[in-house]
Amino acid sequence: MTLSSTLTSAQAPALQARFESLTVDDLDAVIAVEQSVYGHPWTVGNFKDALASGYAAQRLLAGNTLIGYFVAMKVIDEVHLLNITVSLQHRSQGWAKLMLEALALWARGQGCTWLWLEVRESNHRAIHVYRSHGFKQVGLRKDYYPVGRGLREAALVMSHKL
Ligand SMILES: CC(C)(COP(=O)(O)OP(=O)(O)OC[C@H]1O[C@@H](n2cnc3c(N)ncnc32)[C@H](O)[C@@H]1OP(=O)(O)O)[C@@H](O)C(=O)NCCC(=O)NCCS
């Protein structure tokens, strides 16, 4: 996937961003963001496996600064969003919305008709972003995610018809 135009988000019009493919060489910066935002972050191995499997993986940059990234897996005519993350400094500036738009554009170009994802039921910010983008809840996976101290929480399964 190559998305080379310079982009801005409506909420951060002064910041010029661009997409670049995420490669193993970029993982130090990605892991730093990953560990700063998730209680249960992906490991280097998770990212390496995803890249080795040929999943779509893009990072969003402003200059050399990593704004965010996403990883998605195409399965026949569906795309499963596996990871979408915006760094703490760049939250609430519309960058997740922009990445979802880029993902949908790429998925349509691949002839896909559905986007799918799972999200922790406590992740109200992400659920809000997904709903705003047209995702609807289609299922609930009980005890899907670890939350620590042996406890688990449910995942909302959401889909979006392209
Ligand atoms: C979820 C995430 C990707 C959103 O990124 P973002 O760039 O801040 O998202 P946007 O700026 O595009 O949109 C933020 C929206 O969430 C809303 N929001 C912020 N905090 C919220 C909360 N606690 N509850 C509900 N909505 C909230 C904002 O008002 C905004 O909505 P609006 O555009 O309708 O005003 C980012 O917060 C993140 O990386 N979180 C940690 C990783 C994660 O949870 N990833 C998703 C895993 S499924």
Side-chain angles (χ1 to χ4, degrees), residues 15-64:
L15 200 57
Q16 304 253 297
R18 67 188 186 284
F19 282 105
E20 287 188 6
S21 293
L22 198 166
T23 71
V24 285
D25 295 336
D26 310 315
L27 288 182
D28 285 351
V30 166
I31 290 293
V33 172
E34 188 77 10
Q35 292 182 342
S36 68
V37 305
Y38 290 105
H40 295 81
W42 276 25
T43 62
V44 173
N46 294 144
F47 280 100
K48 282 186 174 169
D49 287 348
L51 294 174
S53 301
Y55 297 167
Q58 292 281 308
R59 58 196 182 124
L60 185 62
L61 297 161
N64 291 324

Side-chain angles (χ1 to χ4, degrees), residues 11 37-38 83-87 90-99 117-120 123-126 128-130 132 145:
Q11 290 101 310
V37 305
Y38 290 105
N83 188 324
I84 181 166
T85 306
V86 172
S87 78
H90 295 96
R91 291 280 172 83
S92 293
Q93 296 171 26
W95 297 115
K97 183 167 177 278
L98 186 77
M99 288 200 283
L117 60 82
E118 276 127 12
V119 56
R120 287 176 185 268
N123 195 343
H124 302 295
R125 177 192 291 256
H128 173 88
V129 171
Y130 297 144
S132 305
Y145 290 110

Side-chain angles (χ1 to χ4, degrees), residues 92-152:
S92 293
Q93 296 171 26
W95 297 115
K97 183 167 177 278
L98 186 77
M99 288 200 283
L100 287 173
E101 285 167 1
L103 177 68
L105 190 65
W106 172 77
R108 279 197 195 94
Q110 296 285 308
C112 294
T113 46
W114 287 93
L115 295 179
W116 288 83
L117 60 82
E118 276 127 12
V119 56
R120 287 176 185 268
E121 66 175 351
S122 64
N123 195 343
H124 302 295
R125 177 192 291 256
I127 292 166
H128 173 88
V129 171
Y130 297 144
R131 286 210 170 109
S132 305
H133 193 78
F135 280 86
K136 294 189 168 48
Q137 183 183 345
V138 292
L140 187 77
R141 295 193 208 283
K142 207 165 165 277
D143 297 334
Y144 189 74
Y145 290 110
V147 288
R149 296 191 307 279
L151 300 172
R152 302 188 72 84

